[in-house]
Amino acid sequence: MADLSIDFAGIKSPNPFWLASAPPSNSGMQVHRAFEAGWGGAVWKTIGTPVLNVSNRYGAWHYGGQRMLAINNVELISDRPIELNLREIADVKRNWPDRAVVVSAMVAPNAEAWSEVVKRIQDTGADGIELNFGCPHGMSERGMGSAVGQVPEYLERITGWVMSAASIPIIVKLTPNITNIVVPARSAVSAGANALSLINTINSIVGVDLDTLAITPNIGGKGGHGGYAGPAVKPIALNMLASLGTDEVVSKSGLPISGMGGISTWQDAAEFLLLGATSLQVCTAVMHYGFRIIDDLCNGLSNWMDEKGYATINDVVGQSLHRVSEFKHFDLSFKAVARIDQDTCIKCNLCYVACNDTTHQCIDLVSAAGKVVQPYSYDVRSNGKDEAINTRPQPVVREADCVGCRLCYNVCPVDHCIEMVEVAPEHPSTTWNEILQAEPEVTEDWEAMKAYRERNGLHIH
């Protein structure tokens, strides 16, 4: 059985799954319960400056019958007195010495305030401190959170203050509300941070109530931007994680990265590990389904690691990073085409409509007599599944015209009905970068491009 234990910048935990700094880690009672359920660690909900929270603080994005594909919040940091939080942190750590207890912190941007809060956290016996440089609402208006994370010079200066005062590992949490995540990450490296974490929530307005016309969530008739998280943000988080893993400065530093942003299943967790995360933080899935999901996360990840022959988490971390590349290095001769399994096709025609209306018009509808027909040529008055399907034409891909865009694969409602199949390349292997170096005029002039295509037999459909 795979070993799920991790050592993250000296912080040890029996598995890589930590509660993210958020409502699920708001109190000692909650963290005790999470550890009883099996969570490997918790990042305590951010403590620091006094705040008052509002009522109606969580919005959500539901789509296609699925609830909470994303959550949006205007909640601030912990509104419980800092003395109470510190007392409960010490109690939790005393009772759970084998679990990771990391404390998220945010105070006013001055060296004295940071030095004091670092000292008080260390006195609890906590394993580490996560600097919240990402919260995008409320606190940023007071010069904290993303107001720091969006200015690399501020981030580096404050991290430097903390590193001067700290004797336990310091994790810098990055904001995704920035053009290039690598820039603040490099500042954290420069300041001597022990680790990085990402992503914090994304600025968003989750919706407008069409009955009341109020912004969601509605706070006494007003609303505004909040932090966006949950399954919908996972692709953004994976991209930013990979950006750090492939950056020369950040990767050379060797700093471990705690990944978060839409982790809901063990498959999500494996993807984050493969792109360079060492520990994994979870929030929205816990808010949706409770602490109990830890069993599925650990069992699923462990079973997958066994199947793949990975003995430890370190064996998985970063295994897909070498596959991350830029467009200019992609092989332009690579070709895949769509193939439709006629036995499992339900003839819904979604693939035909998507291809014909929006992409490259390379799927035909073929009647039982073998003739290409137009849509709706079957008897739309037919009743009953068998009769309706039997009178419908069959979608068939013209492989010579298929550019392998993959849209039909994406819209097909039947698993494995449409597969993207690699076919032999029709042209010698080449990349955009190689064309740029050999024939730069091709990349700058359309007539030169036309001549290049004719010379190499490249036909545009």
Side-chain angles (χ1 to χ4, degrees), residues 47-122:
I47 65 171
T49 305
V51 298
L52 288 174
N53 271 307
V54 296
S55 182
N56 260 347
R57 61 187 75 168
Y58 305 143
W61 181 55
H62 316 297
Y63 187 77
Q66 295 190 57
R67 307 290 293 179
M68 283 212 350
L69 288 175
I71 192 169
N72 155 290
N73 82 89
V74 293
E75 184 169 305
L76 303 181
I77 65 174
S78 176
D79 51 11
R80 305 163 74 239
I82 192 168
E83 291 76 12
L84 176 59
N85 275 303
L86 293 170
R87 191 162 59 246
E88 292 184 359
I89 291 166
D91 177 66
V92 167
K93 187 59 198 175
R94 186 166 51 250
N95 282 280
W96 297 93
D98 67 326
R99 309 301 170 94
V101 178
V102 176
V103 181
S104 175
M106 181 195 294
V107 294
N110 67 71
E112 292 75 20
W114 275 104
S115 177
E116 180 183 354
V117 78
V118 166
K119 181 179 183 307
R120 297 183 73 181
I121 292 171
Q122 288 180 162

Side-chain angles (χ1 to χ4, degrees), residues 15 21 33 38 51 78 94 98 130 133 135 202 205 223 227 273 280-281 285 304 311 356 383 390 413 421-422 442:
N15 64 60
S21 170
R33 287 179 50 214
V51 298
S78 176
R94 186 166 51 250
D98 67 326
E130 184 179 77
F133 293 153
C135 186
I202 302 171
I205 288 180
L273 293 171
L280 306 163
Q281 298 188 34
W304 173 78
N356 193 52
N383 292 319
N390 289 335
V421 181
E422 181 179 347
V442 172

Side-chain angles (χ1 to χ4, degrees), residues 279-302:
S279 73
L280 306 163
Q281 298 188 34
V282 185
C283 175
T284 304
V286 174
M287 295 180 74
H288 198 165
Y289 301 108
F291 297 135
R292 58 186 174 175
I293 66 171
I294 188 61
D295 288 339
D296 287 340
L297 292 173
C298 286
N299 292 337
L301 182 62
S302 178

Side-chain angles (χ1 to χ4, degrees), residues 203-412:
N203 254 326
S204 61
I205 288 180
V206 78
V208 180
D209 188 308
L210 296 184
D211 290 326
T212 65
L213 311 189
I215 305 297
T216 302
N218 177 358
I219 303 104
K222 295 183 178 179
H225 70 98
Y228 196 60
V233 312
K234 191 186 92 173
I236 299 170
L238 288 177
N239 178 53
M240 291 188 168
L241 177 64
S243 295
L244 298 191
T246 55
D247 177 68
E248 182 180 0
V249 173
V250 178
S251 61
K252 189 177 179 181
S253 73
L255 295 189
I257 301 172
S258 187
M260 78 198 89
I263 297 175
S264 304
T265 65
W266 69 262
Q267 291 94 335
D268 298 331
E271 291 179 59
F272 272 76
L273 293 171
L274 289 167
L275 288 178
T278 300
S279 73
L280 306 163
Q281 298 188 34
V282 185
C283 175
T284 304
V286 174
M287 295 180 74
H288 198 165
Y289 301 108
F291 297 135
R292 58 186 174 175
I293 66 171
I294 188 61
D295 288 339
D296 287 340
L297 292 173
C298 286
N299 292 337
L301 182 62
S302 178
N303 290 338
W304 173 78
M305 289 173 60
D306 287 343
E307 291 174 5
K308 290 292 182 182
Y310 295 126
T312 70
I313 293 294
N314 280 339
D315 294 337
V316 184
V317 174
Q319 287 297 321
S320 291
L321 279 175
H322 71 283
R323 298 176 182 271
V324 178
S325 185
E326 298 176 67
F327 180 89
K328 63 185 179 183
H329 298 308
F330 293 162
D331 184 355
L332 297 174
S333 72
F334 178 83
K335 186 174 182 181
V337 298
R339 285 185 183 160
I340 301 172
D341 183 347
Q342 308 298 336
D343 293 333
T344 57
C345 176
I346 60 174
K347 301 177 183 177
C348 66
N349 288 351
L350 274 176
C351 60
Y352 171 81
V353 172
C355 181
N356 193 52
D357 288 358
T358 67
T359 53
H360 295 278
Q361 301 82 50
C362 58
I363 297 180
D364 291 326
L365 293 179
V366 179
S367 70
K371 295 182 178 179
V372 174
V373 296
Q374 295 302 307
Y376 309 115
S377 59
Y378 60 90
D379 184 356
V380 296
R381 296 167 298 178
S382 298
N383 292 319
K385 179 181 175 182
D386 290 340
E387 183 180 359
I389 289 177
N390 289 335
T391 60
R392 290 178 181 175
Q394 180 73 49
V396 177
V397 177
R398 294 194 313 278
E399 293 191 7
D401 294 329
C402 179
V403 301
C405 75
R406 207 171 185 257
L407 181 63
C408 58
Y409 172 93
N410 290 323
V411 302
C412 181

